[in-house]
Amino acid sequence: MSKTIVITGAQQGIGKAIAEHFAKLNWNIVINDKNSKAKLERVKQNLIAKYNVKVLSCFGDVSQEEYVNLMFNEIISTFKKVDALVNNAGIVEDMDVKDRSVMLFNKTIINNAGSVFAMSKIFGAHMFKNKSGKIVNISSTNGDQTIYPTSIDYDASKAAINNLTKNFAIEFAPYVLVNAVMPGWVMTEMNKQLDKEFLENERKRILLNKFTKPQEIANVVEFLISEKSSALTGSIICADGGLSIKSV
């Protein structure tokens, strides 16, 4: 019987790469996003066509507890149980601190950290009841160090995710292992649109002299969901190509 994985923010970038990675492993795939229902449906159809796996697409805002409950019921009705959850949904909107309102700050916190809380609370309880499960949160090196004040809300949200990872590891021990991955610069569609000179300067700060690929983050996620990570819970895995070391 195939296992089932739920991935939020799976329309593009890291989330999409993780969905494809586990489709290759013949898992049942649940993909979620809130930005474009049409794009999410295209990801679903592509996974089915390429890998002949069962895919459920859930379009909605996973920072809203009411929606998460509806989503959970639909998934359980379809696949009966969930074996792994990847909390990847998130937003970023850089601007000067003086231009950022409290409302905009809170919007990022709710979207990025609130979604991890809502999803982990509901799906983690399900896994705990089944005495088995893995939760992987996609954090960021921004949550571990101050990069740019223009990302102050994003940084705070990722620091919160690191803390939530440890708290939920305690909450759901010993049955559910909860860990996080902290990518640095990942060459996603969003980052490709940034200023080329800025990106080149950032690349030079990375020990491996390259941006990480979404697939490389998917590889780390696979490790954390596999039995090979059975000694890890509450851990924050840095996958940034050495950016943090060189920045010290």
Side-chain angles (χ1 to χ4, degrees):
M1 183 177 177
S2 295
K3 292 186 176 181
T4 300
I5 184 169
V6 178
I7 307 154
T8 67
Q11 180 180 300
Q12 61 184 11
I14 293 172
K16 182 180 176 183
I18 294 169
E20 183 152 345
H21 188 93
F22 279 86
K24 291 177 185 176
L25 299 176
N26 200 39
W27 282 56
N28 299 323
I29 310 295
V30 180
I31 51 173
N32 156 267
D33 214 288
K34 68 172 186 175
N35 292 319
S36 170
K37 194 170 187 177
K39 287 183 180 179
L40 190 65
E41 185 63 23
R42 283 198 293 272
V43 173
K44 172 185 175 179
Q45 294 305 326
N46 182 60
L47 291 173
I48 293 171
K50 286 180 69 175
Y51 304 108
N52 192 31
V53 293
K54 295 177 180 177
V55 183
L56 175 66
S57 61
C58 298
F59 183 75
D61 186 349
V62 289
S63 70
Q64 302 302 310
E65 191 169 12
E66 183 179 359
Y67 171 73
V68 173
N69 277 308
L70 291 173
M71 177 181 169
F72 173 78
N73 290 335
E74 182 179 7
I75 293 168
I76 297 304
S77 176
T78 304
F79 294 123
K80 308 307 177 189
K81 69 187 291 263
V82 171
D83 300 280
L85 165 66
V86 179
N87 286 310
N88 175 66
I91 61 172
V92 59
E93 190 175 0
D94 290 348
M95 66 180 69
D96 290 339
V97 172
K98 63 181 173 58
D99 297 325
R100 190 184 299 281
S101 66
V102 172
M103 184 175 69
L104 286 174
F105 181 89
N106 289 342
K107 176 184 175 183
T108 303
I109 299 297
I110 291 168
N111 271 272
N112 296 2
S115 61
V116 171
F117 175 77
M119 290 292 293
S120 299
K121 173 188 171 184
I122 293 167
F123 285 84
H126 163 77
M127 295 176 188
F128 186 84
K129 183 179 179 180
N130 290 332
K131 297 187 177 181
S132 176
K134 303 285 182 70
I135 298 175
V136 178
N137 299 321
I138 305 301
S139 181
S140 169
T141 51
N142 287 50
D144 193 45
Q145 54 185 296
T146 300
I147 309 297
Y148 300 108
T150 50
S151 302
I152 194 167
D153 56 337
Y154 181 80
D155 296 358
S157 73
K158 294 301 183 175
I161 288 172
N162 291 346
N163 190 278
L164 285 166
T165 299
K166 295 177 183 294
N167 273 288
F168 275 119
I170 296 169
E171 177 71 13
F172 296 131
Y175 304 121
V176 184
L177 306 189
V178 186
N179 296 290
V181 181
M182 287 197 311
W185 278 108
V186 180
M187 191 44 70
T188 61
E189 291 87 342
M190 180 176 63
N191 288 334
K192 288 176 183 176
Q193 299 171 17
L194 296 174
D195 179 76
K196 286 183 170 54
E197 183 179 354
F198 171 76
L199 290 176
E200 180 61 16
N201 289 333
E202 290 299 306
R203 182 188 61 77
K204 291 176 181 177
R205 297 173 57 218
I206 303 170
L207 284 181
L208 296 185
N209 201 34
K210 67 179 182 67
F211 281 16
T212 303
K213 297 176 182 177
Q215 178 57 48
E216 292 177 296
I217 302 302
N219 290 339
V220 179
V221 172
E222 182 196 350
F223 166 71
L224 289 174
I225 289 176
S226 75
E227 292 306 312
K228 294 178 181 179
S229 67
S230 59
L232 297 181
T233 195
S235 296
I236 315 293
I237 308 297
C238 187
D240 67 351
L243 173 66
S244 300
I245 297 173
K246 197 167 182 178
S247 298
V248 173

